[in-house]
Amino acid sequence: MTCLPTHTDKRLGLVIDLDTCVGCQACVTACKEWNTGGHMAPLTDIDPYGGNVDGVWFNRVHSYEHTTEMGGRTVNFPRSCLHCETPACVTVCPTGASYKRASDGIVLIDEDKCIGCKLCSWACPYGAREFDTDVGVMKKCTLCVDRIYNDNLAEEDRVPACVAACPTSARHFGDLGDPLSAVSQLVAERGGVDLMPEMGYHPTNKYLPPRAHTTHAASVTASALEPVRAEGGFLGWVDRMLSN
């Protein structure tokens, strides 16, 4: 079985805001586009337009209807590898293919060592592992290691593809091992939570819960528009034509 590092220099991960995620799938598409030519390439697609669709996706978004005393709302829930502090997917691996890096805490897979036994996928309670049936090995989110350390990219672009693509800024990236980092402060301010903390795997990625609904409608301070006079001008002609 594979051992975990006793200490990691950083804890790189994602903070996902469930309040602002609109389920647009931009993160899913950007992840697929970047990683199909990246560290774990290819991300296989099998019969994509047929009746037996299969393939590898590092990031998936699920949508749920949530009902409270304030009414209903749609909650969009992105799911990918959480790069746990004590990942069972690593310790269960019989070949050392699954491993956790001591430098930044990212959990990766060495495809040359993977024998496709699927023990890691059974051990992961989050369903974050994807078995590539085309090549017979397991794959998963890499936090875009070939992007975040890429000196050929501008510094502001050295973030995971999903973070760069999010139109609502619902995804944040940084060092969650540094209490002074922007992501750590965001987690503290918004009460970020672990997914399934009772499992004891201590996920690095955090989720920011949806904000509570307000019972008060937004106040409108702008003055009301004056009614359009139909008897003259272009608008009057349009009104007469539509009224006939």
Side-chain angles (χ1 to χ4, degrees), residues 32 36 42-49 52-57 132-134:
K32 183 82 167 185
T36 202
L43 270 60
T44 305
D45 281 318
I46 299 174
D47 195 22
Y49 305 108
N52 298 303
V53 178
D54 195 8
V56 176
W57 297 82
D132 191 332
T133 58
D134 193 47

Side-chain angles (χ1 to χ4, degrees), residues 61-232:
V61 178
H62 308 277
S63 296
Y64 303 94
E65 293 300 320
H66 179 55
T67 303
T68 68
E69 64 275 6
M70 302 302 297
R73 69 180 299 172
T74 300
V75 177
N76 301 293
F77 183 79
R79 176 177 60 85
S80 62
C81 175
L82 303 176
H83 300 277
C84 299
E85 185 177 343
T86 55
C89 60
V90 170
T91 55
V92 78
C93 181
T95 66
S98 291
Y99 64 99
K100 185 176 180 67
R101 305 204 309 186
S103 59
D104 51 23
I106 297 177
V107 177
L108 294 174
I109 299 172
D110 185 342
E111 290 187 69
D112 292 333
K113 295 180 180 179
C114 180
I115 59 175
C117 66
K118 300 184 182 180
L119 285 176
C120 59
S121 64
W122 295 336
C124 174
Y126 308 111
R129 298 248 162 170
E130 297 269 330
F131 186 70
D132 191 332
T133 58
D134 193 47
V135 294
V137 298
M138 198 64 67
K139 298 184 177 183
K140 60 175 289 299
C141 164
T142 68
L143 278 182
C144 292
V145 289
D146 51 348
R147 183 182 175 109
I148 62 177
Y149 294 115
N150 192 337
D151 293 335
N152 295 318
L153 297 176
E155 186 173 356
E156 61 269 20
D157 293 328
R158 295 176 202 166
V159 295
C162 61
V163 175
C166 183
T168 62
S169 298
R171 303 176 74 90
H172 308 267
F173 171 72
D175 182 7
L176 285 143
D178 178 6
L180 299 179
S181 69
V183 286
S184 293
Q185 293 180 3
L186 183 60
V187 170
E189 291 170 4
R190 289 282 307 281
V193 297
D194 289 347
L195 181 61
M196 298 166 60
E198 66 275 10
M199 301 300 297
Y201 296 131
H202 308 291
T204 297
N205 290 6
K206 308 296 180 189
Y207 287 93
L208 305 181
R211 294 180 175 89
H213 278 297
T214 176
T215 57
H216 304 289
S219 59
V220 179
T221 57
S223 57
L225 296 176
E226 294 183 2
V228 176
R229 295 181 179 179
E231 59 268 18

